[in-house]
Amino acid sequence: MRRPSLRSVALLLGVAVFFTGLAATRGLHQNDEDHYLGITRVMVSQGDYIVPHWDGQPTFTKPPLLYWLMAASMRIFGTTLFAARVPVALTALLTMAVVYGFGRRLLRSDGAAATAALLTGTTVGFLQHGRVAMMEVPLALLLVCSAWAAWCISLGSSRAWYALALSSAASAMLKGPATALIPLMGTAIWLAVRRRDDVESGSVAWRHAVGAALLFVLLLGAWPLALWARGMYGVFHEQFIVGENLGKFNGGRNPVTGMVGGFLALLAPWTLLVIAALGVSLSRPAMRGDNVVRLLLSFAGANLMLYCLPAIKWSRYLLPSIPLLALLVTHVAQVTRDRSAGEPAPDGPGEVVPPEPEGVFASLPVLGPLKAASVATGVVLMLVVPLLALGTRLLPTSETRIEMFVLALAVALTALCLLHGSRLFGAAASLAVALVMVSLLAPDLALDQPPPEAAALVRGQTLTVYAAPPYRYEILFGCKADSCADPNDFRERARKGGVFIVGDTELKQIMRAGAFDPSRAELLAGWKKWRRDMSVSLIAHTIVAGELVDLTENVSMMATH
């Protein structure tokens, strides 16, 4: 029986992980996603695709491209969480496909390209953000497309200039004009540092840069011009240009180390491979002069440099670099292996060679530490997770205990496959088992999930959510929801009557303020959510005690009279 190719494994894994359970509420702890859901829902209901609205007021915190993609999906599939998340899931799968296509051209190998696509799709960053309606994964797709365009520009392609303009303008329309600087900076750095003695390199067609620049300005200016025609440019300038963009350079500054440290977690389980590849690229003179290394580091470095400047630095801002680093890891491993075997390393695009053996990482210096780390992780998970599942009050059913045990076993199997000859195929297959199980077989792990009967209890009632975004519940319950964050406001609303959703922490705050009378309230439904603040000591205590209860709190749906 013929074994499936690594390319097929990567494709099937992407479809299985990114498109299963999109309607589950497990991702709704992201307040940004809830914000985008609310704006898009209003956009679809009102039919106004030029001026986004939030709480009845125009809002310009972000450009509208993500809203437009989500709105188009909602027009097709209905106003559901599934519809809102489909565009991002598609871009996650498309990013893997682009990494494969670019990798075949850049690395001259089917197997290496498929390996890079597989590394991209199995990072924690893509698994977290490729299934929620946020913009980091679409930005990753556009950044790797920009790198591909820059590579083609250095080979003399005129059409690549216009592809770069399109990807840069789309980046700006996703997150803001500063985001367009990343592909433009990456291209400028690459054209400045590339080796010009490559015989396959062509002259840069600078005359096409003017046409591409005009296209970029036209695409970027279309939406502000439409706002100016609607008389909204003043609000747009105040909120978006001054507040959202320039305002992020004011206030307390997050440390760069925290952003980079969080990004290393998003690279898991391939963090050590990335660190090793970066070390080899920067420490060996032959690798520092490699054009592929220079191209990929130009764009990843531009992403890091830009987001070192604002006061707010979230680790997810570096997520668009993941496909570039996956290509870098595969290229460095391939070159290291070829040189150790006495074969010439590929210097540029050409004919695609047959897939190489699976041991593409066999010569990478990090393999020893990676083996130790993987085995340690597998052993810990096999010991801790079953105990955690058996002892917890949240997962009382035998089916869930079995799921948790099999999940731990699958992750441990991944570690053992990595230990045995660095066989990425076996590691990917066992990792796929774990990921698909999380998506399909463990819905109980998705907290902040109201019971099915909650929608009927809200029907025809006024719903108020205290100190939390309301739009998730509008999508889930199909009703209009409001929010409040002041105890006195809650008191007035409770006196008028209605349905309220309040978490334990917020309920204690209301009761301390004397704004809640339990005798006038009726509990309709309850569920659990993760606590917002979880210290290291609390997590350690939870592992030792074998119960998740300390990491969660209750959410109550109550009616007041």
Side-chain angles (χ1 to χ4, degrees):
M1 182 177 178
R2 184 183 177 185
R3 187 178 63 185
S5 67
L6 194 60
R7 177 178 58 184
S8 302
V9 171
L11 176 63
L12 292 174
L13 176 62
V15 173
V17 171
F18 295 124
F19 285 90
T20 54
L22 282 180
T25 58
R26 60 173 61 93
L28 281 176
H29 64 282
Q30 295 279 0
N31 287 343
D32 287 351
E33 184 191 28
D34 188 85
H35 182 76
Y36 306 149
L37 286 172
I39 292 174
T40 306
R41 187 175 185 272
V42 174
M43 185 176 284
V44 172
S45 63
Q46 295 184 351
D48 186 353
Y49 297 95
I50 303 299
V51 181
H53 286 80
W54 172 263
D55 280 343
Q57 299 296 324
T59 180
F60 300 103
T61 53
K62 290 293 185 290
L65 182 54
L66 181 63
Y67 309 148
W68 291 343
L69 295 174
M70 293 165 61
S73 180
M74 287 182 177
R75 286 290 189 186
I76 298 172
F77 300 108
T79 309
T80 63
L81 284 176
F82 174 83
R85 291 167 172 171
V86 160
V88 175
L90 281 173
T91 59
L93 190 62
L94 187 57
T95 302
M96 295 178 65
V98 170
V99 168
Y100 172 75
F102 187 27
R104 291 181 79 243
R105 181 81 182 274
L106 198 65
L107 309 178
R108 300 171 57 190
S109 167
D110 247 332
T115 298
L118 185 64
L119 295 182
T120 299
T122 55
T123 56
V124 168
F126 260 67
L127 295 173
Q128 282 185 348
H129 293 273
R131 297 166 49 80
V132 294
M134 295 177 66
M135 57 194 61
E136 277 69 28
V137 169
L139 285 172
L141 171 62
L142 294 173
L143 188 59
V144 72
C145 287
S146 300
W148 194 347
W151 178 264
C152 294
I153 286 172
S154 68
L155 300 177
S157 171
S158 58
R159 290 180 297 180
W161 280 107
Y162 301 98
L164 177 64
L166 284 170
S167 59
S168 301
S171 298
M173 289 298 290
L174 271 172
K175 198 166 185 177
T179 311
L181 295 176
I182 298 175
L184 297 179
M185 286 170 54
T187 302
I189 295 171
W190 156 242
L191 294 178
V193 303
R194 69 190 177 100
R195 271 198 359 250
R196 292 173 175 79
D197 56 349
D198 188 343
V199 294
E200 294 190 67
S201 293
S203 59
V204 176
W206 293 105
R207 63 184 181 277
H208 291 284
V210 177
L214 291 176
L215 176 63
F216 173 77
V217 172
L218 178 64
L219 293 174
L220 199 60
W223 183 52
L225 282 176
L227 293 175
W228 177 79
R230 292 275 299 270
M232 299 299 300
Y233 187 80
V235 180
F236 165 78
H237 181 269
E238 180 181 354
Q239 289 187 10
F240 185 70
I241 303 298
V242 178
E244 179 66 19
N245 287 273
L246 298 179
K248 286 193 173 180
F249 293 90
N250 301 322
R253 306 185 70 85
N254 294 352
V256 176
T257 53
M259 178 176 65
V260 174
F263 179 58
L264 293 178
L266 295 181
L267 289 170
W270 315 117
T271 307
L272 290 176
L273 287 179
V274 173
I275 293 174
L278 289 172
V280 172
S281 301
L282 299 175
S283 63
R284 298 184 182 179
M287 294 302 298
R288 289 201 301 268
D290 187 294
N291 262 345
V292 175
V293 171
R294 291 185 177 189
L295 171 73
L296 298 174
L297 290 184
S298 294
F299 279 81
N303 190 20
L304 176 62
M305 285 187 290
L306 182 71
Y307 285 116
C308 283
L309 300 177
I312 300 176
K313 303 178 184 68
W314 299 116
S315 57
R316 67 174 184 268
Y317 292 169
L318 301 182
L319 186 145
S321 295
I322 287 180
L324 303 172
L325 295 176
L327 286 166
L328 178 70
V329 166
T330 311
H331 174 68
V332 170
Q334 182 186 31
V335 171
T336 304
R337 186 209 61 189
D338 290 345
R339 287 179 177 169
S340 64
E343 302 175 11
D347 290 324
E351 294 296 326
V352 176
V353 299
E356 65 276 352
E358 292 169 4
V360 65
F361 298 120
S363 302
L364 210 56
V366 77
L367 191 58
L370 179 63
K371 290 177 182 178
S374 299
V375 172
T377 302
V379 170
V380 169
L381 286 173
M382 286 194 68
L383 293 177
V384 172
V385 175
L387 293 175
L388 201 64
L390 289 171
T392 183
R393 302 170 189 171
L394 284 177
L395 307 174
T397 64
S398 58
E399 292 82 4
T400 304
R401 295 170 189 168
I402 294 173
E403 291 166 8
M404 293 291 288
F405 179 79
V406 176
L407 173 61
L409 185 63
V411 177
L413 180 60
T414 302
L416 296 177
C417 289
L418 284 172
L419 177 66
H420 183 62
S422 182
R423 298 194 175 182
L424 188 65
F425 183 90
S430 55
L431 183 62
V433 172
L435 298 176
V436 173
M437 283 192 57
V438 170
S439 301
L440 295 177
L441 302 178
D444 292 328
L445 297 180
L447 299 184
D448 203 358
Q449 183 168 302
E453 63 271 14
L457 296 173
V458 178
R459 192 172 295 119
Q461 302 286 331
T462 301
L463 177 63
T464 301
V465 184
Y466 187 81
Y471 288 99
R472 70 185 71 180
Y473 299 108
E474 288 192 351
I475 296 287
L476 292 174
F477 299 151
C479 69
K480 181 69 176 70
D482 199 2
S483 65
C484 69
D486 181 71
N488 294 325
D489 188 14
F490 179 88
R491 180 191 293 112
E492 295 302 319
R493 292 170 183 257
R495 287 175 179 173
K496 296 177 181 178
V499 177
F500 296 83
I501 294 178
V502 186
D504 272 355
T505 302
E506 294 79 13
L507 186 59
K508 292 177 182 177
Q509 174 192 355
I510 296 171
M511 294 185 71
R512 282 196 301 266
F516 177 66
D517 183 1
S519 63
R520 299 187 58 188
E522 174 190 359
L523 181 64
L524 302 178
W527 57 93
K528 290 184 177 292
K529 68 174 181 178
W530 297 109
R531 292 187 184 275
R532 292 184 179 179
D533 301 319
M534 291 186 283
S535 63
V536 175
S537 60
L538 182 59
I539 295 174
H541 170 75
T542 300
I543 294 175
V544 173
E547 294 186 356
L548 287 172
V549 66
D550 289 336
L551 298 184
T552 64
E553 62 180 28
N554 295 314
V555 179
S556 301
M557 175 187 285
M558 61 185 72
T560 61
H561 310 288

